[in-house]
Amino acid sequence: MRDPPVSTDFVTPLDDAPTRPYELSQLDTLESEAIHIFREVTAELERPVLLFSGGKDSVVMLHLAAKAFWPGKVPFPVLHVDTGHNFPEVLDFRDRTVERLGLTLVVATVQDYIDDGRLVERADGTRNPLQTQPLLDAIAAGRFDAVYGGGRRDEEKARAKERIVSLRDEFGQWDPRNQRPELWDLYNARHRPGEHVRVFPLSNWTELEIWRYIERENIELPSLYYAHQRDVFRHDGMWLADSPVSRPREGETVVRKRVRYRTVGDMSCTGAVESDADTVGRVIAEVAATTLTERGATRADDRLSEAAMEDRKKEGYF
């Protein structure tokens, strides 16, 4: 059967254009939102800084910031609070990334505070809860008025409450009852002298979307995000790395396991998961099948109480 005749009496160049609808994928939409946030907040405020630990969320966040201001350089420094218990692979990755992008790295060190008596080592040996004061002091010293963080709402309850632009008072503290309405993509970054805002461009992303974006953009991560052999011991339901800062207690035995990390941070409270996922594709398949968030599965500091993260956020952490 032949095609019906088509009239060409009123054909214009536009009529000849392809009729496929212009649609963004979910990753395109999330990327566009994050880039919009970076451009809007950076244009509005004077001294932004980006929290960069070398973890997957901060790596993706820095990748998006680089895209937002390309072909120029990222127009603000990056800040890391070093607990002294960080994984060596992550610190090496952090330094290589900063050098590759030509960024200024500001490091606040928990060990300095312990050495001069401003902080006291915790009985459980973990240092994540000790990060707050060095972070707040670094923000004050740098007079940073916007602090980009890689928090996502799917991680745990306190983060789910957060606005994308979140006000911190003159003490750096978060009051969930004192947050401004956030309608559509209208972000209110106004603050009084001494206050600042925390900004979360990845708020609407999930862990699975982070990994799919890493695959799509071919983003490099520290090697410990992929399955590898490591000496670990079982503690409080997690596989902790056997290291100078995390040693097994009485009755706990070091074994060799094939593991990977879903999140990185203080070695003494960050657990590994048993895994054979040694490529991005295998990690995506693993994350898609899990029923626990990475923080619920591998972070001891979030298990201290039901409101552990919210309490730390009120004190000024993250």
Side-chain angles (χ1 to χ4, degrees), residues 156-176:
E156 54 81 49
K157 298 184 288 294
R159 298 187 188 209
K161 294 180 184 179
E162 275 280 24
R163 304 288 198 271
I164 289 176
V165 175
S166 181
L167 182 67
R168 295 296 189 272
D169 65 16
E170 65 271 31
F171 304 106
Q173 297 175 336
W174 176 61
D175 183 350

Side-chain angles (χ1 to χ4, degrees), residues 254-265:
V254 175
V255 295
R256 190 83 171 161
K257 288 279 185 181
R258 187 167 172 79
V259 299
R260 75 174 192 87
Y261 286 86
R262 292 178 66 184
T263 181
V264 298

Side-chain angles (χ1 to χ4, degrees), residues 65-80:
K67 274 197 164 187
F69 302 105
W70 186 263
K73 287 173 54 177
V74 174
F76 38 76
V78 296
L79 167 63
H80 182 216

Side-chain angles (χ1 to χ4, degrees), residues 4 27 29 32 64 171 181 207 317:
L27 290 184
T29 302
S32 297
L64 289 162
F171 304 106
E207 183 187 12
Y317 173 77

Side-chain angles (χ1 to χ4, degrees), residues 71 114 130 204 247 285-286:
I114 293 174
L130 302 182
N204 293 326
R247 297 291 301 160
E286 187 178 274

Side-chain angles (χ1 to χ4, degrees), residues 14-52:
L14 282 178
D15 294 320
D16 287 333
T19 57
R20 289 175 300 178
Y22 180 71
E23 295 180 353
L24 295 177
S25 69
Q26 174 69 0
L27 290 184
D28 290 334
T29 302
L30 291 170
E31 179 189 65
S32 297
E33 178 189 59
I35 287 175
H36 171 71
I37 293 167
F38 272 118
R39 289 174 176 168
E40 286 294 303
V41 173
T42 302
E44 188 174 347
L45 298 182
E46 295 182 359
R47 297 181 66 85
V49 68
L50 185 147
L51 296 178
F52 183 66

